[in-house]
Structures are given as structure tokens and as C-alpha cells.
Amino acid sequence: MSQSTVQVYSDHSKVLSILDKDGKIINHDLFPQLSNERLIGLMKKMVFTRIWDERAIKLNRQGRLGLWAPVSGQEASMIGSEDALSIEDFILGSYRDIPQIVWHGLPLYQSFLYSRGHQHGGQIPEGVNVLMPQIIIGAQIIQAAGVALGFKLRNKKNVAIAYIGDGGTSQGDFYEGINFAGAYKVPAIFFVQNNQYAISVPINKQTAAETLAQKAVAAGIKGIQVDGMDVLAVHKAVSDAAERARNGEGPTLIEAITYRYGAHTMAGDDPKRYRNKEEEDEWKQKDPLIRFRKYLNENGLWNDIEEELVIEEAKKAIAEGIKMADETPKMTIPTLIDSMFEQTPLHLEKQKAEFIAMEGN
Amino acid sequence: MTQITTANTVQMTMIQAINDAMKMELERDENVLIFGEDVGHNGGVFRATEGLQETFGEHRVFDTPLAESGLGGLAIGLGLQGFRPVAEIQFFGFMFETIDSIANQAARMRFRSGGKFHSPITFRSPYGGGVKTPENHADSLEGLMLQTPGVKVVIPSNPYDAKGLLISSIRDNDPVIFLEHMKLYRSFRAEVPIGEYTVPIGVAKVVREGDDVTIITYGAMVHTSLDAAEKMEKEQGIKAEVIDLRTISPIDIETIVKSIQKTNRAIVVQEAQKTAGVAAEVMAQINEEAMLYLEAPVLRVAPPDTVYPFAVIEDVWMPTPSRIIEYVNKMMNF
């Protein structure tokens, strides 16, 4: 067993990194103990997610998908972290964290329905341990403290993981949540995807803090920085943080340094207004898929044919998901009214009847 | 101390009744958790949770760090884990710090998840004027909650209702804002049954019968209105019916309409400033449901539209029995 990265890297002097941008192992000691099958699985999920992102952007432009926050560039952070969890661990993500939520069990077509604003998108199936994506920046952090306290009170060896962006670490709820988690010493992971911009505001205008990981210090919890374009480093960091959490050692803040290639969301954001092509190209040199592909290729674990198969599989799954989303019955106002309370109160029953009388269902 | 008067009831203040309700529910359901600032060892700043941590342990009754937003999020997370959180917001003037958890999160949980998740949270909070608190403690902010679909808002006016309504609130599978008027905490004792009972949420109560005018009110203003009613009957022979709403969201319009059918006149008394809020909503609903029974426009007795003032003028700012009587007379002479 390799040493815990959380202990070693929480002095904030260096960034945890295992594969360099050319796919060479630069940190043999920390290489995660994963089977070849598991390593290939990481690549498959990253390729699938890249295709999904490209397709989602197109579907959004065609008006066939609603809210979509592009994820390309962040696959290692997203896939590496989710893959390191156990199925009973609970994910509280933001609106960009749809891939982790889907890889954790939410059917793809439901994520499309969520994107379109259909209630069935949030009807998380039994046994899938995720919450619907959070819109309010920071709310998932304080809620994660509560979910994790629940695990602790029930003596469960599970972990709550909350995802947030760099901008989100400026929210009061971010500080409140990590402070609560530290005070109660709960099994939580706060995973910050520092993709350098909060919509348009760059990280150097967001905070004077040298790193986001060091915000953990004030809360008395461990914090580490990890190369968010390196799926193995992310996997290792989250595995170690989860192990600490399960052992009762408390929460960990992980800052994954990454980049989003696309717009903030598909609702009119134009990254050209706040960053330049040189910068984008520089980050694309560090691409998570390229480096991991190189590593797998060199070790005989991956080839073009396998990649093609995943791409085809992804396209097929997305097409099927869209079809299922299209075929889902439309939401109605009476259903909306009945989803406000366990028992619809009289005044709402009256409003429902009035609506049906005038508009039908 | 509580004093046993009969085999089945005890004389209790409202704060004792509230404490008793939490004790019953902690005993009955292991998923009930009580938390907030100073609610643990200290028993709460008003002693509402006195003795509970001692009896039930720190894993059931515990302090939170001093952050009202954080404690709201904690309640939602624990609710997702099958717990039944009773979270104390130390003073309702601090609810602005918690409002995201209440309005954006708890109130929408059932809707956002299509019924898959819910937030069975009771947010308990002291509020109300007349006890010379510092700023931002006494404000009547309940009107803001009326525009928050997905939450219920309960305001008891006496020990019996406080216990029964708090038990109902804790057992409710949707978020309930349970507001406790500070002036009523220890101002009088009343008979409260030993053991558990519930008072239904959403049902108002006629606390004084009369034929001439209906006074609709809630919280501490129930007592101010009753004082006014007694005086009016004695001095003018006007028999006022007084309705204690007990739940202000949803409003029990049926009880109000039934009363207006008898009295043909209605007036709403609230401690919150005049515009919008409970009185305005009650008037709107009367307009929709009972217009043809009215012999005069519905009036409201409320403080002016200012912020809640400093303590030295709060007693004249809030409605008084004589101001209520003045408005009733204006209506009787319409």
C-alpha cells in the first residue's frame, strides 16, 4: 500500500501528480493500486464523457437539451473522483457535475430530462446515492456536512462528497460547510474543481489565497492540491481522502487544478471575452485523455479500435437516452401542485381544481 | 417548576410546553435530532431545550457552530439521511442567514426530486416584540414565509397549542417554520396534558365567541385582541369573535368564512408592519370567499410600514387594545 497522499501533500507545498502530460509516470510510489480492467474503465468513461459533452453542446444548440455546462477538460477530475468512491457514498454536485452523478447511477436519459427542466430528471432511483444537481453555489457544501453527519450518527462507513468550483470557494456556505464538517469530524470530501474561471472571473481576481486547498487550514481539516488533468492523481487523492473519512479521521478538501475548454454554460457565455486562445492551447497540451491514452497505449492496455468502440457505444447510448427523454410523459400542473407537500393542502387542491377546470391537465 | 394540578394535566408555561413536546418526540422517534446554537448543554438561550442533552445524549441534542446558514444545510443533509431534524434558529431575525436553506432548498426538495426526497425539518425560532430585545431579534418576518411555497408556518399563542402543534410539526414530512413569540414564553401558565397529543396544522381556533365582529389574529396579538374584546363588550356591548389562526400558512379560510357569515364584519390584527403579510392575505381570501357576507370593508390593525423599532417605542408601535377598539368602531359605524 502506498503512503497516504493526504498526509504528504497537506503542507500545501506541492501538487499531487502521477502522470505527466506525456503519460509518463513521475510518481511511482503513489501509483494507485488498480487492476488493468479498472484502468481501462477510467479511460472508457473519459472517452464516453468527452463524446457526451460534444454531443450535448450540439443538442443544446438544436434546442433538444436545456441547461448544459460543458465538461471537456475536466474529465480526469470528474471521472477520477467518482470512480474512487463506493456505490454507497453520496454525491452532492453542482450543475456541471452531471457526469459524476450519471456514473454513480442516475440513468443518462434522466440527466437529459433534468437538463430540459423535467421533474423526472430529479427522481433519483432507489439505491443511487446522489442528490439532484445544485444550482445555488455553496449550498451543497453545508448539505454535505449534514449528509456526512448522518453517516457518522448511523455508524456507516460511507462518505459524502460535495463538488464545487473555484468561484464557489468564495461563498460563505463554503466556509460554513467545511467548518461544520471539521467541528463534527464527519466523513466528507470537498472536491473543488478549480477550472480557473468562475464564469468570467479569473482565479487571481477571485481570491488572494495562494491556493484554494489552503482554505482547509482555517477549518482545521486537511487540504491538498492535485493535478486535475491527471486521472490517476485524482483517483489516488480521493481514495486516500475516502479512506481517512471511513477511518474516522475527518474531512478532506481537495483542489483539483483543471480547465474547462468550453463555455461556462450553453446559455450565451462566450469565453473569448475573458481568455485567449494561447491560454486554451496551453491547457489542451495537458489534456487528461491524451496523457492517459499514451500511458495505456504504451502498456498495451488501449488502442484505436477500443477507442472507436467506446465512441460508437457513447453515441448509441446518447441517442437512446434522448429517445427515452422524448418519450417520457410531459409534466403537468396538477403533478407540480401535488409535488409541493406530502399531502396537498386544501387551498392548493382548490387551485388545482380551478386550473384543471380552465386548462385541463 | 411545573406544578401538577390534576392526574392528566399540568400547569405549564409555553416554554415548558415546547420543551415537553421535544422531549416526547425524542423519546418516541430515534430519528428526531435537536440542534442549534447553544441548545446543548446550555439548554438554549431561553432554556427551551433544557435538560434534553442530559437525557438523550449529545448524539441526539447538540450545539452547532455559530452559523445559521450552515445549520440550515446541516438540517437538509440530515433530513436526506432519514433523520427528523428540529433546528433552532436562535432568533427569527437571523433567518435571513438561513433563508436559502428554507426557501431554495427545503421548500423545493420534494418538487425537485419528484417526491423522491423530502425535508422533514422543523425550524423552531423565537420572534416577537415587547420584550426589549436588541435590534434584529423581535421582527415579525412570518409574512415573508407566506410567499415561500413548500413550507408551513405555525405560530402558537398558548402552552396547549404550542405542545400539540410542535409535536405535529416534528412529525410532518414537510418543512415547518415554528415561531414562538418571546413575550408568551413565560407570561402565563395553562393546563397542558401529560403525554402526547397533537393539534392539527392548518386549523384555526375560535378562542372567543361573538356575533358582532370577527377579529382574526395570531401569536401574542391573540391576547391583545382578547383584551380589546373584553373591554368592548363591557363598555360598548359589542360582542367580538376572536379567531386564533395558529397556522398562518396555509390559512384556514373556512373557519374565517364561517365566522363572517355570522358576524358580517372582520378585522385582522397583526404585529408585523402593515403592507403585505398575513393580514393582507387574509383580506384577499375573504374578498374571494366571503365578500357577499360583509357589511363593511375588512380592516387591518398593524404597525406602520417601518422597520421594527428600537425597544423604547416598541410598545406604542405594536397594536394595542385601544387601537383595535378604535378600528372596530370605525367599522361598526361604516
Side-chain angles (χ1 to χ4, degrees), chain A residues 21-214:
Chain A
K21 66 180 174 58
D22 300 316
K24 297 273 182 272
I25 302 175
I26 50 173
N27 212 332
H28 283 276
D29 292 348
L30 297 178
F31 197 90
Q33 313 286 303
L34 298 172
S35 65
N36 286 343
E37 202 186 352
R38 194 95 183 262
L39 291 171
I40 293 165
L42 286 172
M43 188 64 195
K44 282 185 175 173
K45 288 187 200 173
M46 289 205 294
V47 171
F48 188 112
T49 305
R50 177 69 55 95
I51 297 299
W52 173 11
D53 188 50
E54 288 168 359
R55 192 76 196 115
I57 289 169
K58 285 196 186 111
L59 286 164
N60 173 282
R61 288 186 178 136
Q62 294 164 5
R64 295 172 70 197
L65 211 54
L67 171 69
W68 182 251
V71 299
S72 287
Q74 296 184 218
E75 293 93 339
S77 295
M78 292 174 162
I79 307 301
S81 58
E82 190 284 324
D83 191 85
L85 302 172
S86 93
I87 198 77
E88 288 84 24
D89 295 336
F90 197 96
I91 293 181
L92 299 97
S94 80
Y95 47 83
R96 200 181 306 283
D97 302 307
I98 311 289
Q100 299 95 300
I101 290 170
V102 168
W103 291 117
H104 212 56
L106 182 73
L108 189 60
Y109 87 98
Q110 282 189 262
S111 82
F112 294 151
L113 286 171
Y114 172 79
S115 164
R116 290 176 177 179
H118 190 297
Q119 204 171 24
H120 183 48
Q123 284 176 318
I124 311 295
E126 207 60 49
V128 176
N129 295 298
V130 303
L131 196 59
M132 306 76 70
Q134 182 59 251
I135 298 293
I136 301 300
I137 308 293
Q140 70 272 37
I141 304 293
I142 51 178
Q143 290 171 12
V147 172
L149 180 59
F151 283 140
K152 185 175 176 174
L153 290 174
R154 297 215 192 275
N155 292 314
K156 287 188 180 166
K157 291 280 177 205
N158 303 328
V159 176
I161 182 167
Y163 289 92
I164 197 163
D166 39 299
T169 66
S170 297
Q171 284 281 9
D173 279 350
F174 177 79
Y175 295 97
E176 293 193 22
I178 64 173
N179 184 60
F180 271 59
Y184 293 134
K185 212 174 185 186
V186 295
I189 300 173
F190 302 103
F191 193 92
V192 179
Q193 293 179 80
N194 174 2
N195 67 14
Q196 314 304 321
Y197 292 89
I199 304 189
S200 69
V201 178
I203 188 71
N204 63 355
K205 286 190 180 159
Q206 191 66 242
T207 178
E210 208 169 309
T211 73
L212 301 178
Q214 75 193 34

Side-chain angles (χ1 to χ4, degrees), chain A residues 215-234:
Chain A
K215 295 192 177 195
V217 176
I221 67 173
K222 295 287 182 193
I224 65 169
Q225 277 190 305
V226 57
D227 180 348
M229 310 296 261
D230 175 354
V231 71
L232 295 179
V234 172

Side-chain angles (χ1 to χ4, degrees), chain A residues 90 92 114 119-126 128 130-136 139 142-151 153-154 156 173 176-177 179-180 183-184 331 336 338-343 345-347 350, chain B residues 30-31 33 35 59 62-78 80-83 100-101 104-105 107 109-117 149-152 172-175 250 253-254 289:
Chain A
F90 197 96
L92 299 97
Y114 172 79
Q119 204 171 24
H120 183 48
Q123 284 176 318
I124 311 295
E126 207 60 49
V128 176
V130 303
L131 196 59
M132 306 76 70
Q134 182 59 251
I135 298 293
I136 301 300
I142 51 178
Q143 290 171 12
V147 172
L149 180 59
F151 283 140
L153 290 174
R154 297 215 192 275
K156 287 188 180 166
D173 279 350
E176 293 193 22
N179 184 60
F180 271 59
Y184 293 134
M331 264 190 80
L336 162 67
D338 283 333
S339 68
M340 291 310 300
F341 295 98
E342 184 178 43
Q343 253 189 317
L346 196 64
H347 73 289
K350 276 194 214 165
Chain B
E30 61 178 15
N31 290 316
L33 300 176
F35 52 88
H59 61 296
F62 50 90
D63 290 325
T64 63
L66 205 167
E68 290 82 17
S69 185
L71 79 87
L74 197 76
I76 287 162
L78 287 165
L80 290 171
Q81 290 281 32
F83 288 98
D100 186 63
S101 285
N104 272 339
Q105 310 292 334
M109 187 64 79
R110 198 177 280 284
F111 159 70
R112 296 187 72 232
S113 66
K116 197 72 203 169
F117 298 121
V151 299
K152 297 172 186 171
D172 201 287
N173 282 333
D174 290 304
I253 188 67
E254 295 201 329
E289 309 271 340

